[in-house]
Amino acid sequence: MIAFIGRRALLAIPTLIFISFISFVIIQLPPGDYVTSYAAQLRQQGDYISIAQEAIMRQNLGLNDPILVQYWRWISNIVFRGDFGHSLEWNAPVGSLIWDRLALTLAISSLSLVFTWIIAIPVGVYSATRQYSILDHLFTVFGFLGKGVPDFLLALILMWIGFMYLHIDVGGLFSPQYQNAPWSWDKVVNLLSHLWIPLVVLATGGAAGLIRVMRANMLDELGKPYVETAYAQGLSERQVVWNYPVRVALNPFISTVGWSLPALFSGDVITAVVLNLPTTGPLLLQALKMQDMYLAGSFILILSVFTVIGTLVSDILLAWFDPRIRYA
Amino acid sequence: MGNSIMTNSMPENRLLELDNVQVQFPMREGLVKAVNGVSYHVNKGEVLGIVGESGSGKSITARAIMRLLPKNAKETGGSIRLRPRTGEEFELSALDRNSRAVRKVRGNHIGMIFQEPMTALSPVHTIGTQIMRTVQLHKGLSKADARARAVELLAKVQMPRPAQLVDAYPHQLSGGMRQRAMIALAISCDPSLLIADEPTTALDVTTEAQIIELLKELKSELGMAIVFITHNFGVVADIADRVSVMYLGRIVETADVDDIFYAPKHPYTQALLRSIPRLGVDQGRRLPTIPGMVPDPFSVPNGCAFNPRCIHAVPGLCDTQVPPELRFGSQMSRCHIAEQFAQTEQQEPAHV
């Protein structure tokens, strides 16, 4: 097992180097650079800078150096000094921009992930063990609705309901009066009254799909002979179902749980924009639009690191959970 | 069905008694009478072989005993009674699939072995865990005692290196070893009855012989009875004391194992025996087969279900009336003209 983990961890290193380089190159690919976008933005506002000024800016920002030099400057600072560079647009260190929003993003995303699993697994198991019952049909309808309705639309509807009928503030995470207030009980209550919409939106979309996956997996497993063997031992239905087929049916969940790590980080961008949530998603979108290459590059690098780590975690979990993989 | 039958007490040495058990499957295409009035009994410590083609209802009957029928099955009648060593009597046919009472019987008084050792064990638990769970459930053993018991059971079924293989997962074992683990699981609580549903069908012949030998040893060592379901007469001859032959949901003949082979009194049994190849006999001749095909389950022929394929069928009798159970000593045959076979036997001893 240790050798297995070690081998996987070593394999991750060249993957990360490769990804970081590719992501840096891709960000540079579109014609123009940050200075071009910046000049365009200024022109829109009726302002302008001269070509010479643009050239000086490029010189100062090091944008004229060969790409390998730029890459090395960027990656060596990250690896050796934990410095993600300077966001050109925000004129602030990338690190502070990202980490500020990261805690909130991780909190919202992990909460919604936990909700998704808490809803999806029992409902999927129930739907499979009571196939074609009234509740199964009901869950199926809800599942397809949840899967079919786009998240941002659901977010808009919930905001409208909250605003029109519940008379609460919607959007953002706090009402204006609490925005800069110190933490207090009222502020927490205020946070919760804002938080339920993103949670419901994110959890329904995720749960709807997972219910279908869990149900299908369970139906496959329930028909297998080892389930009958378990019944023939005198175990009750609950003991049989939760100890045997659920164990096997969870495998696809576990093998994909790692991917939720980068998803947790990037968050649901559209929903976050609609709900005006100060998470990382909208920041990434803006950085990409502005060709703010250090910010966007760091984002993509962090996402890739999370993907690689997540996959590693999934592999290890799956090997721990399913002996057939461990010894293969 | 009748209450009078239920109140009758079973003979002293009787372990299991099935009376007129009926199981049907309502399908879109029609009603399938998978088990159509099956009656048999098993005495303490004996091996009853049940022989029949696929679809004859032998496995479904076994599932009815275990109360593990598929959810779409309908039981329309019959009684199943069990009196294990402990002396309690269970009216199994009255118990619900998930009832507490039937869960006390399963795995505890009745052990069951399945056909596919590859898939009949949980792939994500060690064989030790699976055995321990059963003995902890029924015997209330501590974890350490349950583990010791698991190792002991694996040794009993002649698993090599039981102390190590108790921690093995099914996919690490060979087919024969898996079936040994399956047997260890089934006998873990010293059941009075072992139901073996084609336990050797998926194994090669060498392993099959070893498993049969093991079951025979365990039977005499533990004093348990076995219901041995198979489609292979050779295996039955090896292990069974008595044999029941099933055809399309009915038992057509029941007899001691010698009578089945040397004095069969049902044309179906006779035809099955004729179609077994024998070494040194019938050389250079075509092996006799049973004419026709097994009818599809939605249109079982009237009268005797075997009559369209029977070389002795009497028109006007066999295709209109269901034959009654005719008894010749301990032998039972559901054939209108079974008498005839009994007479010819007296004139010339049956072929070997």
Side-chain angles (χ1 to χ4, degrees):
Chain A
M1 190 74 185
I2 305 256
F4 172 86
I5 296 173
R7 204 165 51 237
R8 285 297 161 100
L10 278 180
L11 271 176
I13 294 171
T15 317
L16 283 175
I17 295 174
F18 186 70
I19 290 176
S20 69
F21 184 70
I22 293 290
S23 51
F24 194 80
V25 170
I26 287 178
I27 295 160
Q28 305 260 17
L29 271 185
D33 52 26
Y34 170 70
V35 177
T36 329
S37 318
Y38 179 67
Q41 204 183 25
L42 282 180
R43 264 196 298 281
Q44 267 184 349
Q45 293 162 1
D47 214 341
Y48 73 95
I49 51 175
S50 67
I51 305 283
Q53 277 175 310
E54 278 186 38
I56 292 168
M57 261 185 91
R58 283 208 180 86
Q59 187 65 45
N60 289 344
L61 294 172
L63 296 181
N64 291 331
D65 296 337
I67 190 159
L68 272 176
V69 175
Q70 292 192 45
Y71 170 72
W72 176 250
R73 195 160 54 216
W74 176 65
I75 199 76
S76 60
N77 275 336
I78 293 176
V79 174
F80 298 122
R81 284 190 277 139
D83 176 6
F84 283 88
H86 205 78
S87 163
L88 305 173
E89 192 197 356
W90 294 74
N91 199 16
V94 167
S96 70
L97 282 175
I98 291 181
W99 301 129
D100 264 3
R101 292 169 168 242
L102 192 60
L104 185 67
T105 311
L106 286 181
I108 291 183
S109 305
S110 6
L111 266 180
S112 69
L113 182 75
V114 168
F115 271 114
T116 306
W117 282 45
I118 289 176
I119 297 170
I121 294 174
V123 170
V125 170
Y126 180 90
S127 275
T129 48
R130 301 277 181 276
Q131 195 187 7
Y132 303 138
S133 64
I134 295 173
L135 269 180
D136 175 32
H137 285 304
L138 203 67
F139 288 141
T140 302
V141 170
F142 272 110
F144 282 125
L145 273 180
K147 195 82 196 135
V149 176
D151 281 356
F152 69 88
L153 185 63
L154 188 59
L156 282 175
I157 293 172
L158 287 178
M159 280 168 79
W160 175 70
I161 290 175
F163 184 73
M164 286 294 287
Y165 298 100
L166 304 176
H167 305 294
I168 52 175
D169 272 333
V170 285
L173 281 177
F174 300 103
S175 303
Q177 66 267 35
Y178 291 105
Q179 198 71 55
N180 294 312
W183 281 100
S184 65
W185 180 244
D186 286 345
K187 187 170 176 175
V188 173
V189 172
N190 187 259
L191 172 67
L192 290 179
S193 77
H194 283 83
L195 203 56
W196 68 272
I197 292 182
L199 284 188
V200 168
V201 169
L202 294 175
T204 35
L210 283 186
I211 287 173
R212 304 308 297 168
V213 173
M214 192 65 196
R215 181 178 181 270
N217 286 345
M218 280 299 288
L219 285 176
D220 270 357
E221 293 303 321
L222 282 173
K224 294 203 173 152
Y226 71 85
V227 178
E228 192 176 32
T229 307
Y231 276 117
Q233 301 314 308
L235 298 167
S236 69
E237 185 177 7
R238 184 184 304 173
Q239 288 169 317
V240 170
V241 167
W242 287 95
N243 278 318
Y244 294 86
V246 169
R247 268 292 303 269
V248 183
L250 277 180
N251 273 1
F253 279 71
I254 291 169
S255 59
T256 53
V257 67
W259 300 338
S260 53
L261 205 54
L264 287 181
F265 178 68
S266 66
D268 189 333
V269 180
I270 300 178
T271 311
V273 171
V274 168
L275 288 173
N276 189 23
L277 297 178
T279 53
T280 44
L283 189 65
L284 171 62
L285 186 66
Q286 184 60 24
L288 287 173
K289 271 166 38 188
M290 282 303 291
Q291 288 190 303
D292 189 349
M293 61 183 201
Y294 291 119
L295 184 56
S298 304
F299 250 113
I300 291 175
L301 181 67
I302 293 172
L303 277 180
S304 329
V305 171
F306 276 6
T307 308
V308 171
I309 292 175
T311 311
L312 183 68
V313 169
S314 270
D315 284 354
I316 292 169
L317 274 182
L318 199 58
W320 169 69
F321 208 68
D322 190 337
R324 290 168 298 179
I325 289 164
R326 198 180 320 157
Y327 296 102
Chain B
M1 275 299 271
N3 277 327
S4 56
I5 299 166
M6 292 180 184
T7 47
N8 287 348
S9 66
M10 295 196 283
E12 188 57 33
N13 65 340
R14 196 55 51 88
L15 173 66
L16 175 76
E17 199 161 271
L18 276 73
D19 188 64
N20 195 28
V21 172
Q22 296 174 24
V23 181
Q24 305 181 340
F25 291 89
M27 314 273 265
R28 203 168 295 165
E29 300 91 333
L31 189 68
V32 177
K33 295 180 178 173
V35 178
N36 194 5
V38 163
S39 306
Y40 62 69
H41 66 264
V42 182
N43 291 327
K44 289 184 173 147
E46 79 170 348
V47 179
L48 175 69
I50 299 194
V51 185
E53 301 167 64
S54 324
S56 59
K58 45 194 201 310
S59 289
I60 292 292
T61 314
R63 301 282 186 295
I65 299 171
M66 289 296 273
R67 317 308 295 158
L68 281 175
L69 288 168
K71 284 186 178 143
N72 59 341
K74 294 257 178 305
E75 282 184 282
T76 46
S79 82
I80 303 170
R81 285 185 296 169
L82 174 81
R83 189 170 55 210
R85 285 191 247 279
T86 50
E88 306 162 78
E89 201 170 311
F90 294 92
E91 176 89 32
L92 292 178
S93 46
L95 298 180
D96 185 58
R97 184 189 157 96
N98 286 320
S99 65
R100 207 171 281 271
V102 83
R103 297 206 312 258
K104 258 180 66 189
V105 172
R106 285 184 202 145
N108 193 14
H109 298 308
I110 309 180
M112 189 155 178
I113 316 174
F114 297 91
Q115 178 172 350
E116 286 282 344
M118 307 293 160
T119 52
L121 289 166
S122 164
V124 294
H125 297 94
T126 63
I127 54 176
T129 313
Q130 298 183 53
I131 297 172
M132 283 161 65
R133 196 167 276 162
T134 307
V135 293
Q136 282 179 300
L137 179 73
H138 293 297
K139 300 286 180 212
L141 296 183
S142 71
K143 211 169 169 195
D145 289 347
R147 193 183 157 84
R149 172 82 179 141
V151 176
E152 180 195 324
L153 282 162
L154 290 178
K156 194 172 272 179
V157 296
Q158 294 155 23
M159 181 81 88
R161 296 177 288 121
Q164 280 121 62
L165 290 186
V166 72
D167 292 320
Y169 290 92
H171 70 272
Q172 296 170 307
L173 304 175
S174 70
M177 277 153 87
R178 283 183 220 188
Q179 198 56 295
R180 284 175 198 274
M182 186 77 231
I183 293 171
L185 180 62
I187 64 165
S188 59
C189 297
D190 279 325
S192 306
L193 175 68
L194 181 69
I195 299 178
D197 188 0
E198 309 230 15
T200 58
T201 306
L203 303 174
D204 62 77
V205 277
T206 332
T207 319
E208 174 174 51
Q210 290 169 0
I211 295 289
I212 299 283
E213 205 49 46
L214 172 67
L215 284 174
K216 276 156 74 176
E217 282 170 30
L218 289 172
K219 182 203 99 169
S220 44
E221 194 184 327
L222 306 173
M224 65 184 176
I226 302 179
V227 172
F228 197 100
I229 300 168
T230 179
H231 57 255
N232 186 338
F233 260 115
V235 173
V236 158
D238 206 2
I239 192 168
D241 300 314
R242 287 189 306 121
V243 179
S244 288
V245 180
M246 281 190 81
Y247 185 72
L248 285 178
R250 279 209 170 91
I251 289 193
V252 293
E253 180 164 11
T254 300
D256 291 340
V257 66
D258 288 344
D259 287 338
I260 280 284
F261 282 95
Y262 298 111
K265 290 191 178 46
H266 195 286
Y268 179 59
T269 317
Q270 295 166 352
L272 281 179
L273 288 168
R274 269 198 303 275
S275 60
I276 301 173
R278 276 168 298 177
L279 211 59
V281 191
D282 305 333
Q283 259 175 359
R285 273 199 292 137
R286 222 170 230 289
L287 195 64
T289 53
I290 305 179
M293 305 248 289
V294 182
D296 85 276
F298 304 106
S299 46
V300 174
N302 286 332
C304 171
F306 189 58
N307 84 76
R309 307 173 71 188
C310 180
I311 48 171
H312 303 285
V314 180
L317 174 68
C318 293
D319 52 3
T320 52
Q321 288 173 40
V322 176
E325 298 190 350
L326 298 176
R327 288 181 192 281
F328 306 87
S330 63
Q331 193 162 5
M332 184 284 286
S333 169
R334 264 184 184 267
C335 175
H336 287 297
I337 54 166
E339 292 277 356
Q340 211 173 302
F341 305 124
Q343 281 159 17
T344 47
E345 265 160 34
Q346 280 160 8
Q347 286 152 19
E348 38 154 340
H351 66 283
V352 179

